[in-house]
Amino acid sequence: MERNYRKLWWQHCLAIIGFSVIPLLIVNYSLYKLFDRIYTEKVMDSLRSEVENRRDSIDLFFRERIAQLYTIANTNTFQQMTDEGYLNRIFEIMHAKSDSYMDIGVIDSEGRHLAYVGPYYEMLKQVNYKNEFWFNAVKANGLYISDIFMGFRKVPHFIIAVMVREKNTTWILRVTINLKNIDDIVQKAWSGTLSDAFIVNKKNVLQTRPRFGGNFLEVPAFPEYMSDSLKSHPYPDYSAAVATKLERVTYSGMDAFFAAVPIDSTKWILVIKENPDEILSPLVKGQHWMLLLTAAGLAIIATGAALFTNALINRIKETDRENDTNSDMLLQANKMIALSKMAAGIAHEVNNPLASIAEKAGWLKDLLAEEDIAGSPNFAEFNESVDKIEQHVARARKIIHNLLGFARRMEPAKEKIDVNKLLDETAGFLENEARYVNIRIDKQYEDNVPVITSDLSQIQQVVLNLLNNAIDAIGHDGTVTVSSRYHEKTSEVEINVADTGKGIAENDLNKIFDPFFTTKEVGKGTGLGLSISYSIIEKLGGKMKVQSKVGKGTVFTILLPKH
């Protein structure tokens, strides 16, 4: 028999745990995967937007410089542009409007430098460019934006060159662009402490300096985003290189989000890198909280299952010893008795610690009155905390009584309710939470509000739900007003909960009490709170209304009969 009892204990305990834990794990895992997918998609959309915005800024930079070069080339003659004094005045005007230009030069169709203004005059004035790649490229295409290269000056730089046809003369206007301008645009994509952004060319060579490691003309330690077909083409259409590419990859032992997009005006690819540990930190925090809450839930379920099973098995043993007959009816009756005694035992076990808490709270109150702490500036707060402990102990006892009454199918008792006191106690539950986000709870109670007969716990549930919604609607820095008054003509007590939040759109007001309708963000509301509250007030013979204006706030009104 002992072995059978032990087997029954394990079967019963594991069954309770299994039926409780498996749905809990499935729901938690499903919610986490859903949140992970939604949040990752949001991160990807944000990354796409950022890389495309930076791309557009770089394209705009190049279009403006190209337009300026064409304007200068087409509004001045070859003879004027080869006059270095005249060219110097033009460069001064260009440099006064923008610090983008490092130097400017005019080159004939044979590659000879006919005029030059800039810091490398002695080095570049006599240079012939006919064998340079960029010279042949601008002759072939009419416009050329080079990669970063060392050139004759032996420092990293890049140029923009346009070809000009003037009667029987063909010449090239070339400027060197300040690398800092491109770096500044790219660096604005450094959104976090671990994010990075850089530009590579078709050979996957850096055209800007990354934030973490690497320099101009080096190959970055990141994936390559230029296709092989574009690498082999001498003058490919880079705008069609790739669409915006988003992916999460592990490269060289590093996990990162990458976004890459071609820059239309050049043969470059803009790449933004984000560190998952930083960009997904809210998701990681949510995962930790979910694991913690799941572990706590498992512990509570296992403990409850063990205690419940112990009580049940012990009762079964006692019943077996006391009964000499195998009558089904007698066995069933004994089981019902066992369940009844078990419920009483649970109530006793809960009431014992509650009695101890109440006793200790009273002892603390006596100490506060007797010791020197009464002179402390925090005495009032200590005393208020002890009062609240006693109030919540009394409330817990009442909840146990109500649960036992419900289990015994007793009719719910009608209670005499001091509405102002009920509102004051309910608002007190949330005062600390409201104070933490700088929300003031303003209490405006009229003195003539009579005692009503209704269900205290259900009314308190509705008011608590409205207060929670009001705090959520404000977010921070605002006021929640709780008020009461009495209508003698209709013998109704009115309760108002008003907030200074963002308000509810007019189109949503007719749906606000519908089940599963919510104006909160995904994951923050079920859409059941107001529906349940509305149902409770109707069952108590009352009415519930709402008034709201977008940007000004919302007022919920409850009307309850006096009897």
Side-chain angles (χ1 to χ4, degrees):
M1 290 297 293
E2 288 299 322
R3 181 175 56 188
N4 290 338
Y5 285 132
R6 188 178 296 112
K7 181 178 179 181
L8 181 61
W9 190 95
W10 280 109
Q11 288 176 341
H12 194 274
C13 191
L14 292 177
I16 293 175
I17 293 173
F19 280 109
S20 303
V21 169
I22 292 174
L24 175 66
L25 295 178
I26 292 174
V27 170
N28 282 3
Y29 179 76
S30 301
L31 289 176
Y32 174 75
K33 297 302 291 185
L34 177 63
F35 181 70
D36 177 65
R37 179 176 61 80
I38 293 172
Y39 191 79
T40 302
E41 288 176 357
K42 183 179 179 181
V43 167
M44 287 295 194
D45 288 342
S46 176
L47 199 54
R48 180 193 300 275
S49 177
E50 179 62 28
V51 75
E52 291 177 352
N53 287 341
R54 290 300 100 212
R55 184 270 315 275
D56 293 342
S57 297
I58 296 172
D59 275 330
L60 179 61
F61 174 86
F62 280 113
R63 284 197 295 269
E64 288 177 347
R65 301 310 172 276
I66 292 168
Q68 192 172 18
L69 288 183
Y70 273 123
T71 300
I72 293 170
N74 291 314
T75 55
N76 297 278
T77 65
F78 175 69
Q79 185 177 359
Q80 290 174 319
M81 296 297 290
T82 53
D83 180 349
E84 287 189 340
Y86 185 84
L87 184 63
N88 187 59
R89 289 193 296 275
I90 289 177
F91 185 70
E92 287 177 351
I93 294 172
M94 294 168 62
H95 204 269
K97 294 182 178 180
S98 171
D99 63 349
S100 304
Y101 305 103
M102 302 294 293
D103 62 15
I104 188 169
V106 177
I107 302 159
D108 67 11
S109 60
E110 299 300 321
R112 293 186 295 270
H113 225 152
L114 302 180
Y116 174 83
V117 175
Y120 299 96
Y121 185 85
E122 296 300 330
M123 182 186 298
L124 301 180
K125 180 63 175 67
Q126 303 301 325
V127 168
N128 190 300
Y129 294 105
K130 67 179 180 180
N131 294 322
E132 296 298 313
F133 177 80
W134 69 263
F135 179 75
N136 295 315
V138 73
K139 288 184 67 176
N141 295 282
L143 168 67
Y144 185 72
I145 301 174
S146 75
D147 288 342
I148 303 293
F149 67 105
M150 302 297 286
F152 292 103
R153 62 189 77 187
K154 303 303 180 185
V155 294
H157 67 286
F158 76 98
I159 65 168
I160 300 177
V162 297
M163 186 173 67
V164 185
R165 301 183 187 277
E166 184 180 328
K167 296 183 180 179
N168 296 324
T169 304
T170 300
W171 53 284
I172 294 172
L173 180 62
R174 177 201 59 77
V175 293
T176 302
I177 301 298
N178 188 349
L179 292 177
K180 185 177 182 301
N181 293 106
I182 300 299
D183 269 345
D184 288 344
I185 297 174
V186 174
Q187 288 172 9
K188 288 179 180 178
W190 296 353
S191 57
T193 57
L194 300 176
S195 62
D196 204 350
F198 52 88
I199 293 175
V200 295
N201 65 4
K202 68 176 184 176
K203 296 179 181 179
N204 199 37
V205 173
L206 287 169
Q207 304 299 292
T208 60
R209 186 181 289 111
R211 187 180 191 178
F212 300 107
N215 206 339
F216 297 113
L217 302 178
E218 294 180 356
V219 176
F222 302 117
E224 188 172 350
Y225 287 99
M226 184 69 74
S227 66
D228 293 335
S229 62
L230 291 173
K231 292 180 188 178
S232 61
H233 198 293
Y235 306 109
D237 178 8
Y238 291 94
S239 64
V242 288
T244 302
K245 187 173 183 179
L246 300 166
E247 60 181 347
R248 182 178 183 179
V249 296
T250 300
Y251 189 83
S252 299
M254 176 191 63
D255 184 25
F257 284 103
F258 284 94
V261 65
I263 300 172
D264 295 341
S265 304
T266 69
K267 51 190 175 183
W268 296 345
I269 297 289
L270 172 63
V271 181
I272 294 180
K273 178 185 78 71
E274 293 286 357
N275 188 292
D277 293 338
E278 183 173 53
I279 201 168
L280 296 179
S281 58
L283 183 62
V284 174
K285 289 180 181 177
Q287 182 184 24
H288 291 162
W289 274 107
M290 181 170 286
L291 291 174
L292 180 62
L293 294 175
T294 300
L298 293 176
I300 293 171
I301 290 171
T303 303
L307 292 175
F308 182 83
T309 304
N310 273 338
L312 182 61
I313 297 301
N314 289 336
R315 205 71 198 104
I316 292 174
K317 288 179 180 179
E318 183 180 348
T319 302
D320 287 341
R321 287 193 298 265
E322 292 175 353
N323 289 292
D324 297 326
T325 177
N326 292 325
S327 170
D328 291 339
M329 291 182 62
L330 183 58
L331 179 61
Q332 185 64 23
N334 285 336
K335 285 184 179 179
M336 296 305 295
I337 293 171
L339 288 173
S340 175
K341 289 184 178 181
M342 181 194 66
I346 291 174
H348 176 72
E349 291 297 324
V350 174
N351 279 324
N352 280 344
L354 287 177
S356 178
I357 293 170
E359 179 185 351
K360 298 303 181 184
W363 178 68
L364 285 174
K365 206 165 190 179
D366 293 341
L367 286 180
L368 289 174
E370 294 174 3
E371 302 294 335
D372 292 340
I373 195 172
S376 168
N378 298 319
F379 174 76
E381 188 173 345
F382 293 151
N383 199 50
E384 181 185 353
S385 298
V386 174
D387 287 340
K388 286 188 176 180
I389 291 173
E390 292 180 331
Q391 291 171 10
H392 288 298
V393 167
R395 185 171 175 231
R397 284 174 170 168
K398 189 169 186 179
I399 289 171
I400 292 171
H401 173 76
N402 289 341
L403 287 174
L404 287 174
F406 179 78
R408 293 166 184 165
R409 299 189 180 182
M410 294 170 60
E411 290 295 325
K414 298 288 185 179
E415 303 172 79
K416 298 292 183 180
I417 302 173
D418 184 334
V419 174
N420 289 347
K421 183 178 179 182
L422 179 147
L423 295 178
D424 200 51
E425 290 178 355
T426 308
F429 297 154
L430 300 175
E431 281 183 340
N432 286 337
E433 178 184 342
R435 192 180 301 116
Y436 180 75
V437 291
N438 199 29
I439 294 175
R440 183 170 63 91
I441 298 181
D442 185 18
K443 303 170 184 177
Q444 300 177 5
Y445 311 142
E446 291 191 358
D447 295 333
N448 67 335
V449 177
V451 172
I452 67 172
T453 303
S454 193
D455 191 316
L456 184 146
S457 61
Q458 293 200 64
I459 295 175
Q460 191 171 56
Q461 177 186 343
V462 172
V463 174
L464 192 63
N465 183 48
L466 294 180
L467 287 171
N468 269 317
N469 285 350
I471 292 173
D472 288 343
I474 296 172
H476 57 80
D477 303 325
T479 302
V480 176
T481 303
V482 184
S483 61
S484 66
R485 62 174 179 165
Y486 180 57
H487 300 281
E488 292 186 5
K489 290 184 179 179
T490 58
S491 294
E492 289 179 319
V493 172
E494 179 180 315
I495 299 172
N496 291 299
V497 178
D499 64 67
T500 58
K502 59 186 178 182
I504 303 169
E506 186 176 351
N507 293 337
D508 293 337
L509 283 175
N510 292 332
K511 300 178 284 184
I512 199 71
F513 296 117
D514 292 348
F516 304 107
F517 177 81
T518 178
T519 58
K520 294 182 181 179
E521 297 177 12
V522 175
K524 290 190 176 181
T526 62
L528 290 173
L530 287 176
S531 175
I532 292 172
S533 298
Y534 187 87
S535 176
I536 288 173
I537 297 302
E538 276 203 329
K539 288 180 180 178
L540 295 177
K543 290 175 283 186
M544 190 170 181
K545 299 181 291 186
V546 60
Q547 292 179 315
S548 184
K549 287 187 179 180
V550 175
K552 292 187 177 181
T554 304
V555 180
F556 281 92
T557 301
I558 299 171
L559 292 171
L560 291 169
K562 183 177 178 181
H563 299 291

